[in-house]
């Protein structure tokens, strides 16, 4: 029988395992020094990596970029442990910057996930030692598939490096860990090398802001570059509009009912002739004008600023900001009124 766990009295606090070292040894100054030292080690590692990319590793790096650029399939990133975490980030960065990519866990690959890899793919394998058992188990299979293998490793003489067509040297002189054990500087170098590949690839592809927005539709840049005026404007009966001969009292009823703070004045064909806003009303009242006998044509602001329905919503926001207006009429290619846009509409859609 298994021994019973010791009985804990009601209300008693659970026993906390002792820490590795006493908290009395903590020194704020020492902590700051260790943090700064870790960053210094990683900075040196990145500096050395930069020199290798521009020097002895230049040919391998350029060939790796060219191969990924010409790849008809996907870049399949693999790595175990901390290298695996780095690999997931590299795959995500590649995918979001125009290079189709995915992460496949090496251990899962041995149990069926290798079926995700096709001969048209490229495998980017990451291992600081280059001796990961999980990667080693699938290297012969990748060879038989005819998949190109690119290695990011800290050892050029490793098993992984020997199997790879191209080797990108991510070696570091030491880890930032004071025990020189925990993957720190080495994973930073791997991550930076992945970023370097992604940046070189997006530049070679001519990747633009619009392309980035398409893969990030939920982000602020996506909303700015993908949201058009027609997507956020008020349309149909929600758009306040009257004819030029409309009495002023009826104009005010229309403007108040639609809650835009303005109304369009259109001709019989629906073409915009002018606009009347809350600001125009205040100015007329300040002048002491008798408004009751006036028509829409007599009080409107002629030739108002308009925006096309196929324009970007962010352009409408710029128009409002430039001319210090809070509402703008929306027209189609023929100048017909099709909608209206208020600054609050842009705020709700998070365009601004």
């Amino acid at each position: 029988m298994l021994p019973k766990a010791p009985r804990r009295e009601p209300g008693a606090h659970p026993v906390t395992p002792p820490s590795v070292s006493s908290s009395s040894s903590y020194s704020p100054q020492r902590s700051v020094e260790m943090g700064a030292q870790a960053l210094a080690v990683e900075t040196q590692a990145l500096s050395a990596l930069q020199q290798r990319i521009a020097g002895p590793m230049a040919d391998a790096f350029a060939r790796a970029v060219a191969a990924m650029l010409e790849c008809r399939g996907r870049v399949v990133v693999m790595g175990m442990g901390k290298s695996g975490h780095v690999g997931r980030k590299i795959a995500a960065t590649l995918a979001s910057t125009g290079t189709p990519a995915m992460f496949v866990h090496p251990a899962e690959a041995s149990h069926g996930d290798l079926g995700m890899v096709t001969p048209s793919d490229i495998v980017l394998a990451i291992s600081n030692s280059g001796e990961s058992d999980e990667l080693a188990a699938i290297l012969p299979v990748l060879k038989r598939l005819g998949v190109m293998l690119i290695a990011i490793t800290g050892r050029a003489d490793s098993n992984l490096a020997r199997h790879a067509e191209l080797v990108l040297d991510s070696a570091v002189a030491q880890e930032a860990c004071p025990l020189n054990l925990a993957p720190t500087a080495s994973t930073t170098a791997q991550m930076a090398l992945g970023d370097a590949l992604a940046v070189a690839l997006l530049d070679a592809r001519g990747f633009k802001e619009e392309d980035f927005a398409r893969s990030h539709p939920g982000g602020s840049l996506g909303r700015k570059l993908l949201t058009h005026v027609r997507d956020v404007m008020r349309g149909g009966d929600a758009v306040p509009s009257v004819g030029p001969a409309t009495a002023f009292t009826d104009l005010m009823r229309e403007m108040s009912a639609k809650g835009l703070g303005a109304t369009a004045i259109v001709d019989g064909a629906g073409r915009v002739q002018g606009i009347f806003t809350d600001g125009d009303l205040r100015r007329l009242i300040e002048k002491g004008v008798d408004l009751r006998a006036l028509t829409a044509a007599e009080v409107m602001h002629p030739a108002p600023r308009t925006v096309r329905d196929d324009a970007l919503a962010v352009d409408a926001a710029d128009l409002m900001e430039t001319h210090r207006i809070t509402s703008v009429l929306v027209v189609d290619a023929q100048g017909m009124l099709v909608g209206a846009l208020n600054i609050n509409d842009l705020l709700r859609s998070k365009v601004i």
Side-chain angles (χ1 to χ4, degrees):
M1 295 180 60
L2 293 174
K4 291 184 178 180
R7 185 172 181 273
R8 182 162 56 91
E9 293 298 324
H13 294 290
V15 177
T16 303
S19 58
V20 174
S21 60
S22 171
S23 60
S24 62
S25 64
Y26 168 73
S27 163
Q29 182 179 353
R30 173 67 175 172
S31 297
V32 172
E33 290 173 354
M34 292 301 295
Q37 179 180 320
L39 292 179
V41 171
E42 298 199 357
T43 298
Q44 292 170 5
L46 292 181
S47 178
L49 180 60
Q50 177 187 12
Q51 293 174 18
R52 287 201 299 275
I53 289 179
M57 198 167 67
D59 180 64
F61 184 85
R63 288 169 61 195
V65 171
M68 293 182 187
L69 192 63
E70 296 168 4
C71 179
R72 294 176 179 270
R74 296 183 180 184
V75 176
V76 180
V77 186
M78 295 185 177
M80 282 297 299
K82 301 300 186 294
S83 295
H85 295 308
V86 170
R88 290 182 187 276
K89 189 273 179 187
I90 291 175
T93 300
L94 289 170
S96 69
T97 52
T99 299
M102 63 180 180
F103 178 82
V104 173
H105 195 285
E108 298 296 336
S110 293
H111 296 276
D113 282 5
L114 200 58
M116 298 178 183
V117 184
T118 71
S120 59
D121 295 331
I122 287 177
V123 169
L124 178 65
I126 309 171
S127 172
N128 187 44
S129 69
E131 301 296 342
S132 165
D133 292 339
E134 292 82 359
L135 277 175
I138 61 175
L139 292 179
V141 184
L142 294 175
K143 282 291 186 181
R144 286 197 295 271
L145 281 173
V147 177
M148 182 177 187
L149 176 64
I150 300 174
I152 293 180
T153 180
R155 286 183 50 193
D157 60 346
S158 64
N159 183 47
L160 175 61
R162 288 194 297 271
H163 279 81
E165 281 86 352
L166 292 171
V167 177
L168 301 179
D169 181 8
S170 61
V172 297
Q174 67 180 103
E175 297 287 6
C177 165
L179 303 176
N180 201 32
L181 295 175
T184 44
S186 59
T187 49
T188 298
Q190 292 169 353
M191 186 85 76
L193 195 46
D195 287 343
L197 288 169
V199 168
L201 281 163
L202 74 85
D203 177 73
R205 292 183 190 282
F207 197 77
K208 304 297 182 186
E209 283 187 342
E210 294 79 5
D211 302 308
F212 188 87
R214 274 189 285 274
S215 59
H216 297 75
S220 59
L221 180 61
R223 287 190 293 271
K224 288 182 179 180
L225 296 181
L226 298 179
T227 304
H228 290 83
V229 169
R230 68 169 73 91
D231 301 323
V232 295
M233 72 180 190
R234 308 176 190 199
D237 293 338
V239 182
S241 65
V242 298
T246 302
F248 182 79
T249 53
D250 292 332
L251 177 153
M252 287 304 302
R253 288 192 187 95
E254 175 73 359
M255 192 163 78
S256 299
K258 302 300 172 63
L260 183 67
T263 185
I265 292 84
V266 298
D267 61 19
R271 189 173 288 103
V272 175
Q273 301 297 302
I275 191 171
F276 184 77
T277 69
D278 288 337
D280 294 325
L281 175 61
R282 287 194 298 272
R283 284 186 285 272
L284 289 174
I285 292 174
E286 288 171 358
K287 291 179 181 179
V289 176
D290 184 4
L291 302 173
R292 291 171 295 180
L294 298 177
T295 64
E298 292 172 313
V299 297
M300 73 179 186
H301 181 78
R305 301 189 184 279
T306 59
V307 63
R308 285 271 297 272
D309 60 342
D310 56 355
L312 289 173
V314 69
D315 292 336
D318 290 341
L319 177 70
M320 293 183 191
E321 182 179 0
T322 300
H323 299 286
R324 298 183 179 181
I325 56 179
T326 58
S327 299
V328 64
L329 302 177
V330 183
V331 298
D332 61 15
Q334 288 71 45
M336 302 298 181
L337 180 69
V338 294
L341 193 63
N342 183 275
I343 193 72
N344 291 326
D345 301 325
L346 297 174
L347 288 170
R348 278 192 295 271
S349 61
K350 298 182 179 180
V351 171
I352 56 175

